[in-house]
Amino acid sequence: MKLRDKWIKGAICFCAFFCVAVLIWLILYIVINGIPSLNREFFQSLIPSVASTLAIIGMTLVFSVPIGIMCAIYLTEYAKSSKIVKAISFAVDSLSGIPSILYGLFGMTMFVTVLNFKWSLLSGSLTLAIMILPVIIRVCQESLITVPTEYKEGSFAMGATKLKTLVKIVLPCTSRGIVTAIILSIGRIVGETAAVYLTAGMVNRVPESIMDSGRTLSVHLYMLAKEAISFEQAFGTATVLIVIILIVNTATNLIVREKK
Amino acid sequence: MLKKLIGISLLGAAVLLTSCGDNGSTASGTTPTSTAATSDAASKIEVVGSTSVSPLIEKMAAEYNKTDANTKINIQAVGSSAGIKAAQDGTAQIGMSSRELKDSEKAQLTETKIAIDPIAVVTNPANGVENLTKDQIIGIFKGEIKNWKEVGGTDKPIVVVIREAGSGTRDAFEEIMKLTSEKDGKKISLVAQDAITADSNGAVKQNIATKENAIGYLSFGVVDDTVKGLSVDGVKPSTENVKNDTYLIKRPFLLVCKGEYDAAAKKFVDFIMSDAGQKMVEADGYISAK
Amino acid sequence: MKRKLTKLFEFSIEKLFLLSAVFCILALGTILIFVFYKGAPVIGKIGFLEFITGTIWQPQAEIFGILPMIVSSVYITLGTMVLAIPIGVLTAVYLSYLAPKKLAVFLRRSIDILASIPSVVYGFFGLMTIVPMIDKYLAKGTGGNGMLAAILILTIMVLPTIISVSETSLRSVSNSYREASLALGATEITTIFKVMVPAAKSGIFSSVILGVGRVLGEAMAVILVSGNAVQMPSSILSRVRTLSANCALEMGYAEGMHNEALYATGVILFGFIILLNILMYIVKTRSERKG
C-alpha cells in the first residue's frame, strides 16, 4: 500500500514539476528573446496597444460576465426541466470547438458590416464576448452545482427567499469558480488574435471612443512576427503582455474574491 | 475591503499609465497618437489590404502625419484580395495589394505601383550551396530533386518550405518559376504536396533559420542574416539586378482605388511616390518603383 | 404589502435570469446558424459522405475531400488529451491537496499567465524550439514540423484550462468527505483518488470538454508547427493539416464554393464536439452507476 502510494505521489509531483518547468522555459524564452528590444521608445510605441487591450478586456467582460453568470444561475437554480438544461449545456459546450477565425468572420459580418459598427473596439468586444460565453457559463455552472444543498435548505428553513439565498449563500460559495471563469476568459481575450483583428481592426493609435478601431497587444505582436518585421519586438511585446496580464489577474483576484 | 481597493487602484494605475503617454508621444515606426485638438478639417483615409505592404504604409503614414497631423490614416491589413474588394466597393479609399491585379479586377481600379519587392530564394546560412539554376529550383520545389547532394551540397534531405495558397508571394513565385499548370482554365500548383506550408514571411523565415536543410522563398525586404539569399542562375537578388532586369523573381506593391483618389488620399499617395517616400521604400529593403 | 413586493421582486429577478439565459442561447445560436448557413449549401452540392470521406483537397479544381484533415484533427486531439488530461488532473490534485499554501498560490498565478499567452507566441515558440529538437533527434533532418510538434505545443496550451477548472472543482469538494475517509483509516492518496476526485468528476469532465474545444478550434499555433501538408498521416512525425488550420489558412482568399467548404468544416468541428460531449456524458453516467 505504502509503496503504491509513494509511486502515485511521485507521479503527481512529477506532473506538477513538469508544468512548472514548461512554464519557466516558456516565460524565460519569451523574456530573453524580448529583452533586446525593451527600451523607452519601444514601451511608448506599445501604449496604443496596451490601451486597446485594456479597453477590450474591460468591455468584453462587461458584456459577457454578468449575462454568463445569470445564465448559469438560471440553468442550475431555476430551470425546471433537466432535459432542456442538458441540451442547452451540450450546445453551449460544443460552440467552444469552433475555430476562432469563424467567430471572427461572424463578427465581421454581423457587427462590422450588418450592424455597421465598422472595425471598432465595440465589434471586437461583442465578438469576443460571444466567444467566451461558453467558458463562463460552463465554469459557473460547475461552481454552482457544488454548493451543498444543505446550505440552501438551511437558508430556506430560516425563511429566506430564493433570491436572498442566492445572494447571501450561494454566490459567495461560488466566488472561486467565478474568478476562475473570469481569469480563463481574460486569458482567452488577451490571447486571441484572429477574431480580434477581423473585428477590431489594427489601427495603431490610442482609440478615442469605442467605435474606434484599435490594435491589441496580441494583434500587434502577431503582425510583428508574421511579417518578420522584428522578432525581438514581437517577443518584447509578449513580455509586456505578460506583465499586463499579471496586473489584471492580480487585480481580479483581489476584487472578486471574498473570504469565506 | 482593503483588498478590493488595492485591486481597483491597480487597474486604475494601469489605465492612467496608458493615458499618460497619450500626449504627443512619437515612437519610431508607429503613427503618433492623435492630439486632443481635433480640428474640423480632420480627414480620414481608410487603407485596407495586403499584410506585406502594410508595414511599409504604416511607416509612410507615421512620416506623413509629422507634417499633416489632421489626416487620420487607418490601416487594416486583412489580405490583398480583401483590400482589392474593399477598394472596389468603396469601403476603403486606398487598397493595398502585393500581387498584380487580375483582369477582372483591373476594370474599375486605378493602380499605382509604389515599390517592387524581389522574392529571394533562401536557405539556412549553414548550407554550403550559394547558387541554383532555375531548373534546379523548379525540380526542388516540385519534389523531384530530394537531396542537397544533387545540386552541389552535402548528403542531406531537402526540406521545402512554401507559402499557403492565396499568398501573393507564392502566386508571384510560382508564376515566374513556371510551377503552375492550367487545367480547365484553372491554375493548379505543381509544387510537392508534402512540402511544409508556412503562412507568412515570418513563419518561412523561422522555418529556414532553424533548419539546416530547408529552402524557401521570402520577400526580399525581410531577408537578414538569419537566412541566406541564393543567386538564381548566377544572379544575386540585389537592387541593381532587379532594376536592370537580370533578377526576375519579383512582384509589385500596388495601391489601388476605384476611379480617382479623393483629395486626402491623393496627397498621401503623392507623398509615397515623392523622392522622400521612395527613399523610405529603399530604406526598408524594397526597390523603388521609379 | 411588503410580502407582495418581495414576491414581485423575486419574480422579476427570476425572469431577468431567464432573459439572460435566452439571450445567451440566442447569441450562441446566431453564430451556429451563421456557420451552418454558410456551410450547408456546399455539403448539399457535394454530398455529405463525399465531403468527409474524400481524400483529395484541391479547391481550385473544386474537389473538397476532408478525410485527411479529419484524421489529423482526431489524432492530434487524441494525442494532446492523452498527455494533457493525466498531467493536468494530477497537477490540479497537487495544487488542491498536496502543495504548500504559498507554492500553490504562486503556481496558480503562473498557470493563469500561461492561459493568456497568445497562440502566435506558442506557435513561434514551438517552431523555434520544439520543432528543431524533433528535427535533430527524431526526424533526422527532414524537418520537425508535424503531428508530434503540434501535440506537444497543444498540450502546453491546454494544460492551464484543464488545471484551473479541475482544481476549482477539486477544491470545492467538501472537506467532510476527506475527513471522513481519513477517519476510516484510508491513506491520503487513497482518499484523494477514491473519494475526492470522483466527487469532482463533473468539473473534471467539464475541463476536458473545454480543453477539447480549445484544441479542436486552435489554428494559429498548429499552423506554425504542423507542416500543413494535406495528406493522411503515416506516422507521428508526418506533416498534417487540421480542420481548423485549414480554415484559417485559406479563409483569407477563398471564394464561392471554396468559402462554403471552409464554413462546412466549422460545421463538422461542431459536430465533433457534440459527439464528444455525448461520449463524455455516457462515460460519466456509466461511472456514476457503478458507484
Side-chain angles (χ1 to χ4, degrees):
Chain A
M1 255 328 169
K2 269 214 161 153
L3 185 62
R4 190 196 69 176
D5 274 13
K6 276 215 166 116
W7 273 104
I8 297 183
K9 227 178 191 171
I12 294 179
C13 290
F14 174 75
C15 288
F17 171 72
F18 174 82
C19 287
V20 179
V22 164
L23 177 79
I24 294 182
W25 184 24
L26 183 62
I27 300 218
L28 271 182
Y29 190 84
I30 293 176
V31 173
I32 290 181
N33 271 297
I35 282 190
S37 73
L38 296 179
N39 54 42
R40 186 138 201 270
E41 216 178 277
F42 178 67
F43 287 136
Q44 277 194 321
S45 74
L46 286 184
I47 287 181
S49 300
V50 172
S52 299
T53 306
L54 288 175
I56 285 201
I57 295 179
M59 284 168 65
T60 308
L61 288 177
V62 160
F63 287 138
S64 58
V65 171
I67 293 192
I69 295 182
M70 291 201 282
C71 180
I73 293 179
Y74 184 79
L75 286 177
T76 43
E77 303 287 324
Y78 288 96
K80 304 294 180 351
S81 153
S82 74
K83 277 217 173 115
I84 295 190
V85 171
K86 283 207 185 89
I88 295 178
S89 299
F90 262 31
V92 163
D93 287 339
S94 311
L95 278 154
S96 57
I98 295 186
S100 40
I101 190 160
L102 289 183
Y103 278 98
L105 288 166
F106 168 74
M108 199 161 79
T109 312
M110 180 68 137
F111 301 120
V112 175
T113 312
V114 169
L115 289 180
N116 209 24
F117 292 150
K118 299 236 159 42
W119 280 305
S120 61
L121 295 180
L122 185 62
S123 304
S125 45
L126 286 171
T127 310
L128 284 172
I130 297 185
M131 211 165 90
I132 61 173
L133 266 181
V135 175
I136 297 188
I137 297 177
R138 168 50 72 198
V139 178
C140 288
Q141 252 189 307
E142 282 306 321
S143 223
L144 286 164
I145 292 178
T146 62
V147 175
T149 30
E150 305 97 60
Y151 286 30
K152 287 188 274 190
E153 279 165 13
S155 174
F156 288 146
M158 284 197 279
T161 60
K162 200 161 189 177
L163 184 62
K164 225 182 195 156
T165 312
L166 200 66
V167 173
K168 298 262 172 177
I169 311 280
V170 176
L171 278 183
C173 286
T174 60
S175 66
R176 181 183 301 124
I178 295 180
V179 171
T180 306
I182 295 182
I183 301 258
L184 267 181
S185 305
I186 293 179
R188 199 71 203 274
I189 297 170
V190 168
E192 190 47 53
T193 320
V196 180
Y197 79 72
L198 285 172
T199 49
M202 49 179 64
V203 170
N204 203 357
R205 270 199 299 271
V206 175
E208 283 166 14
S209 80
I210 60 174
M211 298 306 288
D212 263 358
S213 165
R215 181 191 290 200
T216 61
L217 282 169
S218 77
V219 172
H220 186 66
L221 90 83
Y222 171 76
M223 298 258 74
L224 287 172
K226 289 229 142 172
E227 294 311 314
I229 299 172
S230 166
F231 280 108
E232 269 136 20
Q233 284 192 10
F235 281 111
T237 312
T239 311
V240 171
L241 195 148
I242 292 179
V243 171
I244 299 278
I245 281 299
L246 255 173
I247 298 179
V248 174
N249 280 356
T250 315
T252 310
N253 272 307
L254 289 175
I255 295 179
V256 181
R257 239 175 238 238
E258 274 180 48
K259 281 226 164 98
K260 265 206 211 164
Chain B
M1 197 54 220
L2 177 64
K3 284 197 169 173
K4 288 199 189 205
L5 279 177
I6 298 180
I8 297 182
S9 42
L10 260 177
L11 276 177
V15 176
L16 268 177
L17 261 174
T18 59
S19 50
C20 251
D22 197 353
N23 303 312
S25 68
T26 327
S28 64
T30 57
T31 50
T33 56
S34 37
T35 49
T38 19
S39 95
D40 15 356
S43 41
K44 251 201 240 179
I45 312 179
E46 301 283 336
V47 185
V48 178
S50 161
T51 52
S52 313
V53 182
S54 70
L56 186 60
I57 303 291
E58 294 240 349
K59 293 204 177 115
M60 298 280 191
E63 195 59 36
Y64 183 76
N65 276 130
K66 285 191 183 152
T67 49
D68 178 357
N70 284 330
T71 310
K72 284 201 206 170
I73 306 176
N74 290 342
I75 304 166
Q76 309 284 6
V78 281
S80 295
S81 305
I84 294 173
K85 228 183 262 164
Q88 280 173 329
D89 64 28
T91 26
Q93 279 78 50
I94 303 179
M96 307 180 280
S97 172
S98 60
R99 59 168 172 81
E100 296 278 8
L101 294 181
K102 300 188 200 148
D103 293 322
S104 52
E105 294 163 341
K106 280 197 182 182
Q108 318 166 331
L109 302 173
T110 38
E111 44 180 272
T112 318
K113 182 150 67 169
I114 63 168
I116 303 178
D117 179 27
I119 299 175
V121 180
V122 290
T123 54
N124 190 286
N127 194 317
V129 176
E130 296 279 345
N131 174 68
L132 288 173
T133 66
K134 195 166 172 191
D135 285 325
Q136 285 174 324
I137 295 179
I138 296 178
I140 289 177
F141 277 89
K142 272 193 182 169
E144 290 160 5
I145 302 180
K146 293 200 196 234
N147 195 304
W148 281 109
K149 66 174 186 246
E150 298 174 56
V151 291
T154 50
D155 181 10
K156 290 271 167 74
I158 301 184
V159 180
V160 178
V161 180
I162 61 176
R163 287 289 301 277
E164 79 283 12
S167 148
T169 319
R170 173 173 174 165
D171 281 343
F173 182 76
E174 292 187 353
E175 179 97 31
I176 298 173
M177 300 302 286
K178 306 263 189 293
L179 280 165
T180 57
S181 71
E182 287 265 338
K183 192 170 156 194
D184 306 324
K186 299 205 171 94
K187 268 212 202 112
I188 309 244
S189 166
L190 294 171
V191 169
Q193 282 297 321
D194 62 350
I196 296 178
T197 306
D199 68 337
S200 60
N201 275 324
V204 174
K205 198 168 171 195
Q206 282 305 328
N207 264 303
I208 310 252
T210 55
K211 285 192 258 289
E212 280 187 10
N213 307 324
I215 184 173
Y217 46 85
L218 269 186
S219 185
F220 185 63
V222 305
V223 172
D224 61 18
D225 50 14
T226 59
V227 295
K228 183 172 72 177
L230 296 175
S231 313
V232 177
D233 284 333
V235 182
K236 268 184 174 226
S238 69
T239 316
E240 320 99 69
N241 287 338
V242 172
K243 285 216 161 130
N244 64 31
D245 261 347
T246 45
Y247 190 83
L248 295 167
I249 317 179
K250 57 190 180 218
R251 44 97 179 253
F253 279 177
L254 300 172
L255 293 182
V256 298
C257 87
K258 186 154 115 186
E260 291 278 327
Y261 291 110
D262 69 20
K266 182 125 195 11
K267 277 173 58 189
F268 184 48
V269 177
D270 285 340
F271 166 72
I272 297 178
M273 294 307 294
S274 70
D275 286 331
Q278 291 295 301
K279 262 216 192 93
M280 288 180 74
V281 166
E282 307 242 315
D284 244 14
Y286 303 106
I287 316 285
S288 150
K290 293 215 280 219
Chain C
M1 187 58 209
K2 186 177 179 191
R3 216 171 288 161
K4 271 206 179 143
L5 269 178
T6 25
K7 267 222 154 147
L8 189 62
F9 186 58
E10 287 266 322
F11 179 75
S12 35
I13 293 284
E14 176 177 340
K15 289 311 162 199
L16 179 67
F17 288 158
L18 174 61
L19 214 68
S20 325
V22 168
F23 180 79
C24 285
I25 296 167
L26 270 178
L28 294 169
T30 315
I31 180 164
L32 201 60
I33 295 176
F34 175 76
V35 175
F36 266 89
Y37 172 71
K38 287 236 169 187
V42 82
I43 297 188
K45 282 183 219 163
I46 306 179
F48 184 68
L49 268 180
E50 256 92 85
F51 188 58
I52 61 174
T53 57
T55 51
I56 303 183
W57 174 267
Q58 248 189 33
Q60 302 101 320
E62 295 199 350
I63 305 178
F64 301 110
I66 60 174
L67 188 64
M69 296 191 266
I70 292 184
V71 171
S72 312
S73 289
V74 169
Y75 279 170
I76 288 185
T77 309
L78 260 170
T80 309
M81 296 321 270
V82 157
L83 280 180
I85 296 180
I87 299 181
V89 174
L90 287 182
T91 308
V93 164
Y94 181 77
L95 276 181
S96 335
Y97 302 131
L98 298 176
K101 277 255 156 91
K102 291 237 159 128
L103 184 61
V105 169
F106 168 72
L107 271 182
R108 231 170 271 136
R109 299 278 183 271
S110 320
I111 290 173
D112 290 341
I113 296 183
L114 260 187
S116 340
I117 298 180
S119 21
V120 195
V121 177
Y122 277 108
F124 274 104
F125 170 73
L127 183 57
M128 290 157 83
T129 55
I130 296 188
V131 167
M133 278 172 26
I134 298 179
D135 190 24
K136 192 159 165 202
Y137 297 115
L138 292 172
K140 303 193 191 79
T142 55
N145 308 50
M147 261 204 319
L148 181 62
I151 289 177
L152 291 175
I153 273 294
L154 284 171
T155 306
I156 304 178
M157 284 178 76
V158 85
L159 272 175
T161 306
I162 297 191
I163 295 176
S164 39
V165 178
S166 297
E167 191 240 351
T168 307
S169 203
L170 282 167
R171 280 215 296 171
S172 55
V173 174
S174 169
N175 226 7
S176 53
Y177 285 34
R178 183 163 180 253
E179 284 162 10
S181 171
L182 289 173
L184 284 172
T187 62
E188 180 93 47
I189 296 288
T190 315
T191 309
I192 293 179
F193 286 98
K194 297 264 173 179
V195 177
M196 310 299 274
V197 168
K201 212 169 25 187
S202 171
I204 297 180
F205 273 122
S206 287
S207 78
V208 171
I209 296 280
L210 284 176
V212 170
R214 185 79 207 271
V215 170
L216 272 178
E218 178 54 48
M220 226 147 256
V222 176
I223 287 178
L224 284 165
V225 299
S226 70
N228 300 309
V230 183
Q231 54 183 13
M232 293 290 268
S234 54
S235 82
I236 200 168
L237 297 173
S238 287
R239 296 176 197 158
V240 293
R241 189 185 290 198
T242 63
L243 292 167
S244 296
N246 192 48
C247 255
L249 269 174
E250 307 197 331
M251 261 307 176
Y253 77 106
E255 289 174 335
M257 223 167 131
H258 188 190
N259 198 341
E260 293 173 11
L262 292 176
Y263 279 102
T265 307
V267 173
I268 304 283
L269 281 167
F270 177 78
F272 258 128
I273 287 244
I274 292 220
L275 271 173
L276 222 103
N277 241 317
I278 296 179
L279 205 74
M280 293 247 100
Y281 179 69
I282 295 178
V283 171
K284 198 160 90 162
T285 30
R286 281 257 174 85
S287 63
E288 264 162 25
R289 228 173 278 158
K290 274 195 194 154

